[in-house]
Amino acid sequence: MTDEAPIYLDYAASAPLDPRVVAVMRECLEDRELQANPASAHEPGRAAASRIEAARAQVAGLIGAPPDAIVFTSGATESVNLAILGAARAARDARGASRGPRHVVSSRIEHRAGRDSCRQLEREGFELCWLQPDAGGRIEAGQVADALRPDTALVSLMHANNETGVVTDIAAIAALCAEREVALHVDAAQSVGKLPVAVAAPGIALLSFCAHKLGGPKGVGALYLRRRPRPALQPLQFGGGHEDGLRPGTLPTHQLVGFGVACELARSALAIEAPRIRVLRERLWQALQPAMPLWRNGVPEPSVPGILNVGFAGVEGESLLLELDGRLAVSSGAACSSASAEPSTVLRALGRSDLAIQASLRLSIGRETTAAEIDRAARLLVAAVRRLRQALPVGALERIA
Amino acid sequence: MTDEAPIYLDYAASAPLDPRVVAVMRECLEDRELQANPASAHEPGRAAASRIEAARAQVAGLIGAPPDAIVFTSGATESVNLAILGAARAARDARGASRGPRHVVSSRIEHRAGRDSCRQLEREGFELCWLQPDAGGRIEAGQVADALRPDTALVSLMHANNETGVVTDIAAIAALCAEREVALHVDAAQSVGKLPVAVAAPGIALLSFCAHKLGGPKGVGALYLRRRPRPALQPLQFGGGHEDGLRPGTLPTHQLVGFGVACELARSALAIEAPRIRVLRERLWQALQPAMPLWRNGVPEPSVPGILNVGFAGVEGESLLLELDGRLAVSSGAACSSASAEPSTVLRALGRSDLAIQASLRLSIGRETTAAEIDRAARLLVAAVRRLRQALPVGALERIA
Amino acid sequence: MSADAPRYSTDVLDLFRRLPHRAPLAAGAGTVASGEALALERGAWVQFEARLDGGRVASCAFRAWGCPHTLAAAARACAAVEGLAIASAAAMPARQLAEELEVPRHKLGRMLVVEDAMHALIAHARALQSR
Amino acid sequence: MSADAPRYSTDVLDLFRRLPHRAPLAAGAGTVASGEALALERGAWVQFEARLDGGRVASCAFRAWGCPHTLAAAARACAAVEGLAIASAAAMPARQLAEELEVPRHKLGRMLVVEDAMHALIAHARALQSR
Ligand SMILES: Cc1ncc(COP(=O)(O)O)c(C=O)c1O
Ligand SMILES: Cc1ncc(COP(=O)(O)O)c(C=O)c1O
């Protein structure tokens, strides 16, 4: 990146493609032999299918799963929908005539994919228990223990929050769910490839993630499905029998091969990248101190390495973004919802006021971020905040916080 | 292609990428600026979003629709599911408490995406009318007229059949549906880009297609949604508010940009390519005559230009495919289901015996097919059929047909 | 979606970048009037102050918390009253601010905050003058 | 899925490519016996014929409609009986054919058709011999 290109601190919205992923995707796009339909029985079809199976093994490898536990989808949103709607509806219909259990446990800090899937369940007659985080953005295993009921059909929680980066103790919750024989779905879109994630723990029935948060292409994701006991799922889509009947449609070879390589690369880089990125994040937080008064949304730890959510007293979010535009690419709230203007429900759940929320930015760091970029980004941010504060009404620093 | 590469006559399963599509996808994959999340408000996010909107206009242009009538999906399978399940469920729930109309008209020759979506509707309590084709594979508008009832919620029919290439008179059926105010969904995955398809006719409420059948990438499709009156749709997936709330998930910029260019290219090539391919198909049929006794599945016209479905008396399908393997890439039955061994339900609906079905091949022709390839393919096929017939039991030519 | 439509007019961008008429007022002779309006839930808080000299608004400045359109409108409103006789000065109407600056419809409430703050300023100025 | 697993063993591919023992029998001395079995719905139809000479199966040939495994098994079954004394000749059992040729489990029924046709051939040969 030249000094002219904006500094990209929006990895949590989407990470740039790793050049090695681009290279293998190019190969797939340019090699005629690999462009057949992987469902076709002829030689080029089988060649494509065998590349897809290799990718499935790479994707599975990143979370310590066997390849046949992976169902490919169009992204984490679809994985999350398939897991939540699929598992809850299957449980409801398991005893015939919709008489199965209808209680579902989730939280107030889920990504919209999880939140809106659960809301749909409410419309379908399920009873939802929405766990409340503490002021630091944490959901505790004890809360899940208290929420479980004999008729709980599903627990669905995210591993790392996409706005604050705060991490939930999934291992403890998985143990609970295993003991109580409740299916647990984990939205791991923000943690896979950034923290060690292993589905070996028996309590995890379903786990969702996608390629574009870890250097792979947009438009492709995975749902892990425990093999034994295999959670029952009602598909969202029908036709064609691909992916064990759970997800029909022609498999996009180039996308899946890119996903596979991205997972392989993430796995081998994890031990070095995670601490490097964590150090960069704390360096950024320190370098922002001259913009005081400011605060951090969500506890610093436990967290994924790359996310820092900061609020700047007295700042108006839209003006701050325009001030930074073209120089720093960051999100106010989650990128997924930053097209809409409503304040982040996640930060609301942490108890932040709407004024504090609109004054907050999510800064997220990734594989290509350098210390020099961090320092330059901090200088830009401090200058921007200071400029906007120059003309602030008297008393605004206290009220907008 | 060199003489060593297999001749690809499986365009109906998936068409190879147009090199100009590959070029623009490469640009998206390599240009950092375009890799941001298109839902992000910052500059790179907006750059990606604006490329997507340009692609939306190209995709819409191919079917004569306004850009805002296009919802992007992960492929024709998803479009078809969203259209059928979405429209039928919305109709059922429109009058509250599941009291809306529950009658749906479809046919026995739909692609598995349509067939299995309709079967799911049956499981949900809908009443399906499955129209039967004639021996030539035709569904007539009169059949639809006879099937419509006051409580018909949806008519879903394909435009061109993926196995026989036979085309249904959608204009006539659309007129009928407009008059009776019934929503019509058209599965146009095999016709868009191959025949002129225009949604201007008021009767078409929904129309599905995808990129990979017309030289674009796998894993991306479109659903056309008439604007006025806009058909009510219940989404399959929830979360994020993308695509008018009908289809959440991060939009894959490179995929959509490739789809857009493929549509643009298909549109400008249509007038020249359609007759050229039709001529090649009839040349192939003529060149296969030395393999008599043989027959054609489905009437020759009306049809999409590129599909020829032929049966060879006395032939065993798997042996024929092995005989051709590595030299000719073709499908026995539809590629989408050729992973499964069951005989094509489409050809069964035409009244063919299972023995005749297994002796049939779908040969499909596309943009890069040359006359020389057609002649070579015909020679290979004739030789293969003759070799397998050399050791045939006495009487087999008559019984296996 | 209309990703290609510019989000801010050139005028808004220019005013936002420069923030002319930003408080504090330059030192000078005369009395200082002030006016304020706020609707935080709508996203705007504006304070105006003006130096009054010889029955006129000699200069006007703003402090504001708000989006780029709000800041630009505050600056524009200051420019509009400078030099006017206090007796006949009028606040630029919200609708006119919105039109000139191509403010999106959903932000009209913020323009009203700017207008209200200016009304308050003018009222204060008149009160000071009549004292 | 196991896209990498070869669908046909080398033996099957070789037999399918060459189709050794394909009918008709070479001209020669002696009587000709034949045997047939078919199960079209299972995907196999096999006819054997053998030239009998001096109490032995001098040569054996097949005609078949079937998948590559079926054709290969028919050829293999011919080879197995050639040279045997008619009195003690036995058809290669389906299970053995399946094992040698690495035939997938769901095709075992077709191997039984091959075995049955060979039983029929041998029975016919014995009948001819005892006449
Ligand atoms: C926690 C979480 N879940 C799900 C998603 C949805 O991912 P995708 O946009 O790939 O569907 C995201 C990212 O947007 C996320 O951060
Ligand atoms: C008529 C028809 N509809 C739907 C589809 C499904 O398309 P996709 O594989 O892109 O989901 C196909 C192709 O497989 C088709 O031929």
Side-chain angles (χ1 to χ4, degrees), chain C residues 62-81:
Chain C
F62 75 95
R63 298 180 202 273
W65 171 83
C67 70
H69 288 107
T70 304
L71 301 186
R76 179 70 190 80
C78 288
V81 292

Side-chain angles (χ1 to χ4, degrees), chain A residues 1 5-6 8 10-11 13-19 22 25-26 28-30 32-44 46 74 77-79 81 85 89 111-114 116-117 120 123-124 212-213 217-219 234-242 247-255 321 325-331 335-339 367-368, chain B residues 1 5-6 8 10-11 13-19 22 25-26 28-30 32-44 46 74 77-79 81 85 89 111-114 116-117 120 123-124 212-213 217-219 234-242 247-255 321 325-331 335-339 367-368:
Chain A
M1 279 193 188
Y8 190 77
D10 205 12
Y11 275 77
S14 198
L17 283 162
D18 190 291
V22 175
M25 289 180 72
R26 272 188 56 180
C28 292
L29 293 172
E30 285 166 4
R32 276 298 137 104
E33 282 273 300
L34 292 176
Q35 289 176 27
N37 192 321
S40 295
H42 48 60
E43 196 183 38
R46 296 196 309 274
S74 66
T77 294
E78 185 182 338
S79 297
N81 272 267
L85 299 176
R89 290 171 181 167
H111 181 269
R112 278 189 68 171
D116 290 358
S117 297
Q120 172 64 15
R123 280 190 291 273
E124 296 178 13
H212 76 101
K213 308 283 188 191
K218 294 174 184 60
Q234 189 173 106
L236 300 174
Q237 300 173 47
F238 304 85
H242 313 73
R247 208 289 183 171
T250 301
L251 290 173
T253 316
H254 63 293
Q255 295 273 92
L321 286 183
D325 201 42
R327 299 186 288 169
L328 190 57
V330 296
S331 278
C336 301
S337 55
S338 73
R367 201 179 46 79
E368 300 197 355
Chain B
M1 281 194 190
Y8 190 77
D10 205 12
Y11 276 77
S14 198
L17 283 162
D18 190 292
V22 175
M25 289 180 72
R26 271 187 57 179
C28 292
L29 293 172
E30 286 166 4
R32 277 298 137 104
E33 283 273 302
L34 292 175
Q35 289 175 30
N37 192 322
S40 295
H42 47 60
E43 197 183 37
R46 297 195 310 274
S74 67
T77 294
E78 185 183 338
S79 297
N81 272 267
L85 299 175
R89 288 171 180 167
H111 181 269
R112 277 189 68 172
D116 290 359
S117 297
Q120 172 64 15
R123 279 190 291 272
E124 296 178 13
H212 76 101
K213 309 284 187 190
K218 294 176 185 56
Q234 189 173 106
L236 300 175
Q237 299 173 48
F238 303 85
H242 313 73
R247 207 290 182 169
T250 301
L251 290 172
T253 315
H254 64 292
Q255 295 274 90
L321 287 183
D325 201 41
R327 298 187 288 168
L328 190 56
V330 296
S331 278
C336 302
S337 55
S338 72
R367 201 178 46 77
E368 299 197 356

Side-chain angles (χ1 to χ4, degrees), chain A residues 8-268:
Chain A
Y8 190 77
L9 291 187
D10 205 12
Y11 275 77
S14 198
L17 283 162
D18 190 291
R20 291 160 291 185
V21 171
V22 175
V24 76
M25 289 180 72
R26 272 188 56 180
E27 184 209 332
C28 292
L29 293 172
E30 285 166 4
D31 183 346
R32 276 298 137 104
E33 282 273 300
L34 292 176
Q35 289 176 27
N37 192 321
S40 295
H42 48 60
E43 196 183 38
R46 296 196 309 274
S50 108
R51 292 295 291 265
I52 288 174
E53 294 317 305
R56 197 187 300 276
Q58 291 171 311
V59 170
L62 181 54
I63 58 165
D68 64 355
I70 295 295
V71 170
F72 284 129
T73 67
S74 66
T77 294
E78 185 182 338
S79 297
V80 166
N81 272 267
L82 178 54
I84 295 179
L85 299 176
R89 290 171 181 167
R92 174 194 64 195
D93 298 344
R95 300 193 197 149
S98 308
R99 291 225 221 85
R102 288 173 173 262
H103 182 246
V104 172
V105 177
S106 188
S107 89
R108 298 224 173 270
I109 57 168
E110 300 303 303
H111 181 269
R112 278 189 68 171
R115 202 169 75 228
D116 290 358
S117 297
C118 284
R119 281 197 191 151
Q120 172 64 15
L121 288 181
E122 284 188 321
R123 280 190 291 273
E124 296 178 13
F126 285 82
E127 189 185 336
L128 260 288
C129 168
W130 300 95
L131 301 180
Q132 186 71 39
D134 67 13
R138 281 168 299 208
I139 301 282
E140 304 289 352
Q143 296 176 268
V144 177
D146 292 346
L148 288 179
R149 302 194 324 206
D151 66 336
T152 303
L154 177 71
V155 174
S156 178
L157 292 170
M158 66 200 324
H159 187 198
N161 183 273
N162 50 305
E163 297 191 40
T164 63
V166 173
V167 159
T168 296
D169 185 354
I170 290 297
I173 294 168
L176 258 170
C177 289
E179 198 188 300
R180 306 278 285 266
E181 291 182 24
V182 174
L184 169 65
H185 165 246
V186 180
D187 176 355
Q190 291 290 349
S191 61
V192 167
K194 280 139 202 164
L195 291 177
V197 171
V199 292
I204 300 178
L206 299 148
L207 185 136
S208 297
F209 59 109
C210 62
H212 76 101
K213 308 283 188 191
L214 48 81
K218 294 174 184 60
V220 67
L223 176 62
Y224 158 80
L225 236 103
R226 186 179 55 208
R227 286 190 305 174
R228 262 180 302 271
R230 196 157 179 103
L233 278 195
Q234 189 173 106
L236 300 174
Q237 300 173 47
F238 304 85
H242 313 73
E243 301 294 288
D244 266 343
L246 287 172
R247 208 289 183 171
T250 301
L251 290 173
T253 316
H254 63 293
Q255 295 273 92
L256 298 171
V257 167
F259 189 11
V261 169
C263 287
E264 188 73 46
L265 294 170
R267 190 163 71 123
S268 60

